[in-house]
Amino acid sequence: MELSLLLHDLHLSPCSSSSEKPLPSPSLPPITELLSRLQDKLIGASTDSETSSLIGRVEQLFRTADPHWLFSPNSASQDDGWAGLRAAYGSLVSAVTGCAALPLCEDDCGSPSAAAYQSLPARAGPVCSALRALLGTLGNWESGGGARGGQTGLLLTVAPPICVFAVTHFQDQAWTSSSSRAAAQSLQEALLKAGRWRDSAHLLMGGGSQDAEREEGGRTSRGILGGVLDVLRPQLTKDSWQRCEAVKLVFAWTLLQVTRPSLSPHLHLLLPPSLLLNDHYRPENCMLGVRCLHHIVLHTPAADLRQFNRAEVLYQALFKHLYTTEAAVIQPVLSCLLDLLLVLEKPPSSLAPSSPRRKTCRHDDVLRLVLTHMEAENKVALRRVYAAALPPYIDRMGVAVCRHLRRLERVVLGYLEVTDPPEETSRLKILEVLQKTSRAAWPRMACRVDVLLRCLLKLLVDVSSDSQLGDSVRQKLMNETSLCIKLLDGCSQGALQPLLQQVDSSCCSPEVLSCLATVTTMTKR
């Protein structure tokens, strides 16, 4: 009865079929004609109530109609029939998801107001329900044999736009509510179930030959990454990506699901949008872009990154961020650069001392700029970021850190003099830097022992008398400082022993004397 009413409302005649092939039910029109009429109705709906009614009828159609009629072509030519059917379903799904599409920004300088998103959660729920009905019926029909043994391509046609819609609405954003997020998450689960994909990564990348052999019914497992990128591509251009608040989030979600070896073939589609995000002036977009670029660096073969000078482009795009004062941006940039530099050049620590290639390189450029900024930095957040990022760069440099000892000494002295309560993160990291430097460049540290020792002894005295420090933090600071003194004593070939033994006990607390006694005892052994 519902289907008859729908056909009547759409002005479809039961005898309008011109197919030479008999239909599952001779009283029903071609499904492609019905889908086309539904699409036109959805696009032309002028009120929310009319749209909601149409979506409800779409859901009822997919829940009650004969699957053989819904998913069988109505053309004498099988190839033309399947192509037309896939196009009809793709257009209908686009029209259905468009009923809950986000409003576009008028320019690239702001976002729509909260009022513009107010009706979206209520519209997204029925859309998710209708699409779940389609996926449930289509998935059961294809897994049950369907036409061509389940290889109709219909699911792979509708999956990309449905996936994009689900990802848009299951994120905690201004255009979603708890109910709409739950509905979108349920839609994503229905999509995975319909295609027998294990998870979102499998949905996008598909499986290899072994996975295909394990699939029930022998159906090959294919991913929809290319289809999702085709859906997103028109919105990811330089002039359009900022007009829709969701497109960057959907793109980032998609990219971060893809790993080796599936990322490399799509690199030409994934890299440009990531660079656009990275270059944006808003910190949140910039951080998202850096995160995408870092994922690309980690999951793309070095040879592919070096091809067409891509790695150099990435390096220049990231290096310019070292001049920013946003701690939230600097932190991921320094982490990404550390991995990208391995693509561009060999680490200085791996080169032999006599190697002709032991000359200044990009590692030096990054470390030099970081140390220069650290010297003058007075913001606590940035000092912590720089201090935390410095130890792995010292490790990477190895003995080549000798080129930067003068700047590094000034940074160590400056950071150890300033407290960083309550966890003393900056001081602890700088002590770690001093330890790594002493081990890597010990022949060049002897001339710096005097000034560094005075700073470390002062640090011991200050820490021991600081009542605001927790016991665990105080003990850790004193232990790390004692280790630094021990390493400096080794760099000077034991020259610190007489000085440490002459420390006046009346000027130091028992804790300081205990630390110094531990240093001299360990050194003698």
Side-chain angles (χ1 to χ4, degrees):
M1 179 64 68
E2 290 288 340
L3 183 57
S4 300
L5 291 174
L6 178 60
L7 295 176
H8 180 268
D9 291 344
L10 296 176
H11 307 290
L12 289 175
S13 170
C15 60
S16 63
S17 174
S18 59
S19 173
E20 299 177 7
K21 178 181 176 181
L23 294 170
S25 175
S27 62
L28 296 177
I31 184 60
T32 51
E33 189 175 350
L34 174 61
L35 297 177
S36 178
R37 293 289 183 88
L38 282 173
Q39 176 193 350
D40 293 340
K41 283 281 188 178
L42 287 168
I43 294 174
S46 57
T47 63
D48 287 346
S49 59
E50 183 182 356
T51 301
S52 178
S53 175
L54 284 169
I55 291 175
R57 294 195 175 196
V58 171
E59 178 181 356
Q60 190 67 22
L61 169 69
F62 291 127
R63 290 194 185 280
T64 60
D66 182 3
H68 292 284
W69 171 65
L70 288 173
F71 308 123
S72 296
N74 305 115
S75 173
S77 170
Q78 284 287 333
D79 291 338
D80 293 343
W82 286 116
L85 191 62
R86 286 192 290 268
Y89 270 100
S91 299
L92 178 67
V93 168
S94 296
V96 172
T97 55
C99 295
L102 271 65
L104 298 179
C105 304
E106 295 182 0
D107 51 43
D108 59 356
C109 297
S111 304
S113 62
Y117 295 137
Q118 190 171 2
S119 63
L120 276 177
R123 285 186 281 170
V127 170
C128 289
S129 183
L131 294 176
R132 282 200 306 270
L134 168 61
L135 291 172
T137 304
L138 178 57
N140 292 335
W141 184 69
E142 288 202 351
S143 62
R148 292 186 173 182
Q151 299 285 344
T152 66
L154 289 177
L155 184 58
L156 294 176
T157 298
V158 302
I162 291 178
C163 179
V164 169
F165 180 83
V167 174
T168 299
H169 289 274
F170 68 49
Q171 305 192 54
D172 189 1
Q173 297 294 333
W175 55 86
T176 64
S177 64
S178 57
S179 59
S180 69
R181 289 193 291 271
Q185 190 63 53
S186 178
L187 175 61
Q188 183 76 349
E189 293 169 359
L191 178 58
L192 297 177
K193 181 179 179 181
R196 292 177 290 175
W197 288 292
R198 295 187 298 272
D199 50 32
S200 296
H202 190 215
L203 166 69
L204 294 169
M205 296 184 289
S209 58
Q210 293 181 352
D211 293 322
E213 291 174 1
R214 288 195 292 267
E215 290 284 347
E216 296 179 6
R219 184 176 64 175
T220 301
S221 176
R222 293 176 57 188
I224 63 169
L225 176 58
V228 169
L229 293 178
D230 287 340
V231 174
L232 295 176
R233 192 184 308 170
Q235 305 175 71
L236 286 173
T237 64
K238 181 179 180 180
D239 299 324
S240 63
W241 74 269
Q242 299 176 65
R243 298 193 63 202
C244 180
E245 283 286 294
V247 65
K248 63 185 179 185
L249 302 176
V250 177
F251 169 78
W253 178 90
T254 302
L255 171 58
L256 296 176
Q257 304 293 320
V258 183
T259 56
R260 299 185 180 224
S262 300
L263 193 149
S264 188
H266 297 90
L267 187 59
H268 65 290
L269 299 175
L270 297 170
L271 189 55
S274 301
L275 289 170
L276 285 175
L277 288 170
N278 171 81
D279 289 340
H280 200 248
Y281 66 93
R282 291 169 62 179
E284 61 270 23
N285 292 334
C286 182
M287 287 187 292
L288 188 61
V290 173
R291 187 182 178 193
C292 291
L293 292 178
H294 198 178
H295 185 83
I296 289 174
V297 170
L298 293 175
H299 294 280
T300 305
D304 290 341
L305 284 177
R306 287 191 290 263
Q307 190 178 29
F308 307 122
N309 215 29
R310 289 174 178 140
E312 183 63 32
V313 171
L314 289 176
Y315 174 75
Q316 296 297 336
L318 292 165
F319 187 82
K320 67 181 182 182
H321 290 312
L322 296 182
Y323 292 94
T324 186
T325 57
E326 293 285 345
V329 175
I330 288 286
Q331 185 173 18
V333 165
L334 287 172
S335 178
C336 184
L337 276 173
L338 192 67
D339 291 315
L340 178 61
L341 287 170
L342 288 180
V343 177
L344 289 163
E345 60 192 24
K346 290 184 178 181
S349 59
S350 69
L351 300 176
S354 59
S355 172
R357 296 183 61 191
R358 185 176 279 264
K359 55 185 180 181
T360 56
C361 56
R362 295 179 183 85
H363 281 86
D364 292 282
D365 295 337
V366 173
L367 183 57
R368 185 183 303 112
L369 185 59
V370 168
L371 292 174
T372 301
H373 288 168
M374 289 181 75
E375 283 189 70
E377 189 52 61
N378 57 9
K379 294 181 180 178
V380 174
L382 266 176
R383 289 169 67 91
R384 289 174 178 170
V385 168
Y386 281 131
L390 200 52
Y393 276 91
I394 301 299
D395 274 337
R396 183 73 61 78
M397 293 297 296
V399 70
V401 76
C402 290
R403 303 177 187 134
H404 308 278
L405 282 182
R406 188 172 298 176
R407 280 191 180 90
L408 189 57
E409 178 186 331
R410 294 196 295 265
V411 167
V412 169
L413 295 175
Y415 275 60
L416 291 182
E417 288 179 356
V418 180
T419 60
D420 182 24
E423 300 298 329
E424 294 290 348
T425 306
S426 298
R427 277 177 162 177
L428 287 170
K429 286 298 180 180
I430 291 299
L431 289 171
E432 182 183 352
V433 166
L434 181 56
Q435 293 165 19
K436 292 180 180 294
T437 305
S438 299
R439 291 188 177 100
W442 60 268
R444 300 284 296 274
M445 295 297 290
C447 62
R448 293 174 167 81
V449 164
D450 291 345
V451 65
L452 289 172
L453 178 61
R454 284 196 294 270
C455 179
L456 292 172
L457 291 176
K458 182 178 183 298
L459 177 61
L460 279 177
V461 173
D462 291 344
V463 169
S464 66
S465 60
D466 191 345
S467 59
Q468 296 182 353
L469 285 178
D471 292 338
S472 60
V473 176
R474 178 186 295 107
Q475 191 60 47
K476 190 171 183 180
L477 270 172
M478 299 187 76
N479 290 342
E480 295 300 317
T481 304
S482 301
L483 180 55
C484 288
I485 296 175
K486 175 180 177 294
L487 291 171
L488 290 177
D489 183 59
C491 294
S492 62
Q493 300 180 352
L496 298 187
Q497 288 294 311
L499 296 175
L500 295 177
Q501 293 171 359
Q502 295 175 12
V503 173
D504 188 352
S505 60
S506 64
C507 300
C508 301
S509 65
E511 292 86 354
V512 175
L513 293 175
S514 175
C515 286
L516 296 181
T518 303
V519 171
T520 55
T521 303
M522 292 173 61
T523 305
K524 288 179 180 179
R525 290 180 182 175

